[in-house]
Amino acid sequence: MKTLKENHQGFSTVLALSLIPLSGFATDIYLPSLPAMAKDLHVSASAIQLSLVLFMFSIGVSQIFIGSILDSFGRFRIGIVSLALFSLTSFVIAIVPNIYVIYAMRIIQGITIAFIVVGKRAYFVDIYSGDKLKHYISLFAIIWACAPIMAPFLGGYLQSVFGWQSNFYFLGVLSLLFLILELIYSGESLKHFHPFKIRSIAQTYSGMLKTPDFILGLAIIGICFGMVVIYSLSSPFIIESVFGYSAVTTGYSSLLSGFSIMTGGIIAKSLIKQPLAKKVVTALIVQVSLVFLMIFTVPFGSNIYTLIGFTICIHMCGGFIFNIIYGYCLSRFSKNAGVASGLTGGAMYMVSSVFSYGFANLYAVKSQTLLGIANISLILVMGILFIAFNRYRKVRVSNELKTAFA
């Protein structure tokens, strides 16, 4: 087995950080192409949106179960095979323009991305500790937000110049490049392999799933991400079909949305020492106010500028909340980093895919008003969940203090 060399640790860390947004790239790069794909493949908008939802659901389900595999068999070899498969399936999608082939390939891609991203998140727990580990964990959400910024922006231009297949050719080449760099500079980071025993693994999962603050935190970040996904699913059709703009404009709008998510994460990182509850409650109040303004200002004028303007502010609050709760969940079980990382990422994608696709189709989001109604519905659910989360979190802190002074 190839172990990680000490003199390669710096570049390997850069590679690990670079691979974390790969799931976002695979999700977002073809968003501006959704209308063109639906037309070219002769399918409905919901049918082409389903390709995104299937990818998200498969990555979510996979992450829940693969943490124990990575903790037992290591990160490196599994990551290499996953990168190779992801690259291959990207080329298949580009070459075989059939909706059912795309569905199948996207499900496989979800599984491979799950192995890659969970392994790379766990890498940092393997290598770093203390303040250094906290520093990198707080960077995860910020770096992950790079994908919603860059991917649709790039995808819009690729769609405009070369067509929708070019998005998948790009993903295939990018993952192939990462594969080569991983083979040269990376290696196995796991120092202590856990025996692959079903009973002990089941007990680990059971313990985590019975932890109320952890489970509620997973639901909150899933809904936070779900708000972004609803915009991703609906904005290409609103901007291109309703407002009459091009795929490039959709790319720019997604770039601004992604930048706002990153900004929210950066603000959260700068306020890392402030009380958690105070930060999240403030962000929720601001978010609710913005969504109501988004809905009630429609009679006075609705256009691409109002749509994107309100979305930027709403997603900035979402990125702020996401960063805080995401960091809390990832660091909740440091002794089983792979399992915790898998559950965190998996639940996020599963919750977001169900809520986003469900609400997008429930409200048939094709306007600023309907997008606002979908957003306020998700925020209300998130607020209720946070009340329960904070209550259990306080109980946990209180019990830890009692144990420390016992």
Side-chain angles (χ1 to χ4, degrees):
M1 180 185 295
K2 181 185 177 185
T3 56
L4 178 62
K5 296 179 181 178
E6 190 172 344
N7 62 328
H8 286 170
Q9 184 174 307
F11 192 76
S12 179
T13 296
V14 172
L15 276 175
L17 288 170
S18 301
L19 280 164
I20 286 174
L22 186 59
S23 60
F25 258 95
T27 303
D28 295 342
I29 194 167
Y30 77 116
L31 293 178
S33 297
L34 292 180
M37 289 179 70
K39 183 179 180 181
D40 191 37
L41 298 171
H42 307 290
V43 297
S44 66
S46 61
I48 206 66
Q49 288 172 338
L50 185 59
S51 69
L52 178 64
V53 174
L54 287 173
F55 170 79
M56 292 178 59
F57 198 79
S58 68
I59 192 176
V61 172
S62 302
Q63 286 189 73
I64 289 176
F65 298 106
I66 65 177
S68 56
I69 296 173
L70 291 168
D71 282 344
S72 297
F73 300 103
R75 334 293 194 196
F76 181 67
R77 287 180 297 187
I78 293 174
I80 291 298
V81 172
S82 298
L83 274 170
L85 282 173
F86 180 83
S87 181
L88 176 63
T89 52
S90 296
F91 290 124
V92 170
I93 291 173
I95 295 168
V96 186
N98 177 280
I99 190 64
Y100 297 106
V101 172
I102 292 173
Y103 286 162
M105 294 300 102
R106 292 295 279 172
I107 290 170
I108 295 171
Q109 286 190 333
I111 297 168
T112 59
I113 283 288
F115 275 110
I116 295 165
V117 175
V118 173
K120 289 307 177 185
R121 285 201 299 255
Y123 164 93
F124 290 92
V125 182
D126 296 338
I127 302 297
Y128 301 103
S129 60
D131 291 339
K132 195 82 170 178
L133 176 59
K134 290 180 181 178
H135 165 72
Y136 280 119
I137 286 177
S138 68
L139 282 176
F140 285 177
I142 297 171
I143 292 172
W144 176 79
C146 290
I149 293 174
M150 296 184 291
F153 175 70
L154 175 62
Y157 277 103
L158 288 172
Q159 162 63 37
S160 179
V161 179
F162 301 108
W164 65 265
Q165 290 93 339
S166 60
N167 293 309
F168 294 98
Y169 279 122
F170 175 83
L171 288 175
V173 172
L174 179 66
S175 52
L176 188 59
L177 176 61
F178 274 125
L179 173 62
I180 294 168
L181 292 173
E182 282 281 305
L183 286 169
I184 297 171
Y185 292 104
S186 290
E188 184 55 61
S189 62
L190 184 61
K191 297 178 179 66
H192 305 289
F193 289 75
H194 295 259
F196 191 75
K197 296 180 179 179
I198 299 298
R199 185 174 181 179
S200 62
I201 291 170
Q203 288 175 345
T204 301
Y205 276 102
S206 176
M208 291 182 182
L209 293 173
K210 290 178 181 177
T211 307
D213 57 321
F214 180 67
I215 294 301
L216 289 165
L218 299 184
I220 291 169
I221 62 173
I223 293 175
C224 265
F225 187 44
M227 292 179 66
V228 177
V229 177
I230 282 183
Y231 181 75
S232 298
L233 289 172
S234 59
S235 62
F237 297 95
I238 297 173
I239 293 171
E240 296 172 39
S241 301
V242 178
F243 292 150
Y245 290 90
S246 69
V248 174
T249 304
T250 300
Y252 274 111
S253 79
S254 296
L255 182 151
L256 293 171
S257 167
F259 187 76
S260 67
I261 297 167
M262 176 181 281
T263 302
I266 292 170
I267 295 170
K269 187 177 185 301
S270 68
L271 299 174
I272 197 168
K273 294 183 180 179
Q274 298 298 316
L276 185 148
K278 182 180 178 181
K279 292 185 291 187
V280 174
V281 169
T282 302
L284 284 171
I285 292 171
V286 173
Q287 208 171 34
V288 168
S289 303
L290 288 166
V291 175
F292 277 122
L293 283 172
M294 183 183 196
I295 296 170
F296 293 137
T297 55
V298 168
F300 303 100
S302 173
N303 52 54
I304 192 169
Y305 302 105
T306 58
L307 174 72
I308 296 175
F310 280 115
T311 297
I312 287 171
C313 298
I314 292 166
H315 286 183
M316 190 181 298
C317 294
F320 182 85
I321 297 168
F322 182 92
N323 184 285
I324 294 166
I325 306 299
Y326 185 72
Y328 180 92
C329 292
L330 277 185
S331 58
R332 186 67 174 82
F333 301 99
S334 58
K335 291 183 179 179
N336 296 99
V339 176
S341 174
L343 276 174
T344 301
M348 179 189 76
Y349 274 98
M350 287 182 65
V351 172
S352 62
S353 62
V354 170
F355 273 89
S356 60
Y357 190 70
F359 277 71
N361 283 276
L362 174 66
Y363 296 117
V365 179
K366 293 292 186 293
S367 68
Q368 180 174 310
T369 301
L370 293 172
L371 180 62
I373 292 171
N375 281 336
I376 199 66
S377 301
L378 289 176
I379 293 170
L380 289 174
V381 174
M382 186 163 52
I384 294 169
L385 291 172
F386 181 74
I387 292 171
F389 165 85
N390 196 47
R391 184 179 300 157
Y392 283 112
R393 185 183 66 88
K394 286 181 177 179
V395 171
R396 175 206 168 195
V397 171
S398 176
N399 290 338
E400 287 180 350
L401 288 172
K402 289 178 182 177
T403 303
F405 289 102

